[in-house]
DNA sequence: TAACAGGAAGTAC
DNA sequence: GTACTTCCTGTT
């Protein structure tokens, strides 16, 4: 167990922000999260966080995952006070961070996300993990499943993917798994690439268009200037920015700004 | 209650 | 510009 203080972080907001689908709320103030082979449970009270893992694992895995070296207070301070919509969005989603998630998982996750809704995306990913992932056990006995790698997806084939509610996206996922296993889609090279190059490499894949490529760049590669333009963002830019967003002003943090705006549109309008 | 229409973090053709 | 899978949501 490891207890620490973290500012500008709200697990509930992050879990609902649509950037990750495997940060699960398990109690009023508790969450469970998995990345590659690691699993931890976290409870939050204000800015006090209790991780169920060791301090060592926190330092090697979770500090990076939650992007704790970045000062999000500073980023929020950049918001133009004259921009009342952005100011409200930043206040509303003040505990959002851009997680440093697994690249392969992000590729598959955002392939699933296209023309889809969040509850259904979550359900597909849950099924994908429970059907094709590996069953593991935390040090204290809690079972969890990992996200299936490309080989597991290849083994499942189209018939194995059929029960997961993926719809027409199943063939995109299988094709991507195939290209990763045969080496024609090199994830290491993708990781080593700059944003523009990475975006092009992603767009070459069957089923990955501009928007999904930007999501993978932002959430899987931490290219923080990626600005995924989906239906919510199109509407926001149209309605609140007369069709032109001040990209230049926020260069270096565009992805974070996008996430505040997206989350505000997603959640606040429904209250 | 159950059926139904409309919509959903888009992309390929 | 249209088809695409299937589930979620709100409305009869």
């Amino acid at each position: 167990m490891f207890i620490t203080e973290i500012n500008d972080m709200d697990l509930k907001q992050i879990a609902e922000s649509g950037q990750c689908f495997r940060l699960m709320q398990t109690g009023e103030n508790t969450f469970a999260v998995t990345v590659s082979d690691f699993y931890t449970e976290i409870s939050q009270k204000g800015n006090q966080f209790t991780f169920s893992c060791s301090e060592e694992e926190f330092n090697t895995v979770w500090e990076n995952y939650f992007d704790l070296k970045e000062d999000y207070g500073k980023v929020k301070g950049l918001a133009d006070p004259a921009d009342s919509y952005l100011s409200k969005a930043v206040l509303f989603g003040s505990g959002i961070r851009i997680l440093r998630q697994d690249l392969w998982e992000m590729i598959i996750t955002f392939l699933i996300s296209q023309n889809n809704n969040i509850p259904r995306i979550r359900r597909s990913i849950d099924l994908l993990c429970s059907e094709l992932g590996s069953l593991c056990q935390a040090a204290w006995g809690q079972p969890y499943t990992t996200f299936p790698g490309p080989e597991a997806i290849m083994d499942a084939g189209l018939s194995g993917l059929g029960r997961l509610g993926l719809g027409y996206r199943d063939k995109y996922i299988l094709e991507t798994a195939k290209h990763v296993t045969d080496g024609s889609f090199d994830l290491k090279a993708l990781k080593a690439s700059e944003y523009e190059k990475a975006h092009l490499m992603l767009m070459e894949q069957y089923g990955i268009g501009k928007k999904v490529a930007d999501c993978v760049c932002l959430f899987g590669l931490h290219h923080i200037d990626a600005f995924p333009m989906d239906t919510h963002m199109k509407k926001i830019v149209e309605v609140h920015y007369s069709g032109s967003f001040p990209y230049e002003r926020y260069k270096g943090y565009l992805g974070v700004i996008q996430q505040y705006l997206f989350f505000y549109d997603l959640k606040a309008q429904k209250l």
Side-chain angles (χ1 to χ4, degrees):
Chain A
M1 200 168 83
F2 179 67
I3 300 174
T4 187
E5 191 172 296
I6 302 168
N7 292 319
D8 306 305
M9 175 149 111
D10 184 313
L11 292 174
K12 190 172 170 62
Q13 288 180 4
I14 294 172
E16 293 179 351
S17 69
Q19 63 174 299
C20 63
F21 298 89
R22 292 213 303 147
L23 175 58
M24 304 295 190
Q25 186 152 16
T26 54
E28 195 182 343
N29 300 305
T30 59
F31 293 80
V33 61
T34 310
V35 63
S36 60
D37 290 338
F38 296 96
Y39 168 90
T40 193
E41 291 166 15
I42 312 166
S43 70
Q44 171 173 14
K45 281 191 182 134
N47 62 356
Q48 292 290 115
F49 291 80
T50 305
F51 286 73
S52 61
C53 63
S54 66
E55 178 171 5
E56 189 197 356
E57 184 178 301
F58 172 84
N59 287 330
T60 54
V61 178
W62 303 108
E63 183 179 54
N64 175 65
Y65 182 81
F66 287 104
D67 196 26
L68 298 184
K69 294 214 169 119
E70 179 63 71
D71 179 0
Y72 282 75
K74 182 191 73 183
V75 180
K76 289 186 272 187
L78 298 173
D80 184 353
D83 183 341
S84 65
Y85 187 77
L86 179 58
S87 300
K88 280 187 280 183
V90 166
L91 203 60
F92 184 80
S94 63
I96 289 179
R97 291 174 162 268
I98 305 294
L99 303 182
R100 294 176 180 264
Q101 301 182 75
D102 178 72
L103 175 58
W104 164 253
E105 182 175 334
M106 289 302 96
I107 292 170
I108 301 306
T109 294
F110 285 96
L111 270 173
I112 295 171
S113 79
Q114 65 179 257
N115 197 19
N116 210 339
N117 56 58
I118 290 176
R120 187 181 162 197
I121 297 165
R122 198 178 281 280
R123 185 175 165 278
S124 285
I125 292 170
D126 283 349
L127 285 170
L128 192 62
C129 294
S130 60
E131 298 273 323
L132 306 179
S134 308
L135 185 60
C136 299
Q137 206 173 48
W140 56 94
Q142 176 66 35
Y144 64 96
T145 51
T146 61
F147 194 90
E151 297 82 7
I153 286 175
M154 287 293 286
D155 290 346
L158 270 187
S159 58
L161 295 175
R163 295 190 299 277
L164 310 181
L166 300 167
Y168 62 88
R169 306 165 193 83
D170 57 1
K171 56 185 181 290
Y172 299 157
I173 291 167
L174 190 60
E175 198 70 9
T176 303
K178 192 162 136 194
H179 292 154
V180 170
T181 45
D182 73 18
S184 60
F185 183 32
D186 184 350
L187 297 187
K188 276 191 183 149
L190 182 59
K191 269 188 191 172
S193 301
E194 299 294 313
Y195 168 60
E196 284 78 8
K197 169 74 176 161
H199 196 264
L200 282 173
M201 287 175 72
L202 285 160
M203 291 265 291
E204 285 171 9
Q205 292 300 313
Y206 184 43
I208 301 184
K210 190 176 186 333
K211 190 271 174 183
V212 171
D214 268 325
C215 284
V216 175
C217 282
L218 182 57
F219 303 129
L221 293 164
H222 211 78
H223 290 310
I224 208 67
D225 266 334
F227 195 87
M229 189 61 80
D230 68 324
T231 53
H232 294 271
M233 291 308 298
K234 277 180 193 154
K235 186 183 79 184
I236 290 167
V237 171
E238 195 58 42
V239 173
H240 299 282
Y241 296 92
S242 311
S244 95
F245 187 79
Y247 296 106
E248 281 306 316
R249 183 188 170 101
Y250 300 109
K251 215 160 178 49
Y253 304 93
L254 278 167
V256 188
I257 298 296
Q258 185 271 355
Q259 201 62 22
Y260 291 131
L261 292 170
F262 174 81
F263 183 68
Y264 187 52
D265 185 67
L266 187 71
K267 307 296 289 188
Q269 317 302 350
K270 292 176 186 169
L271 297 178

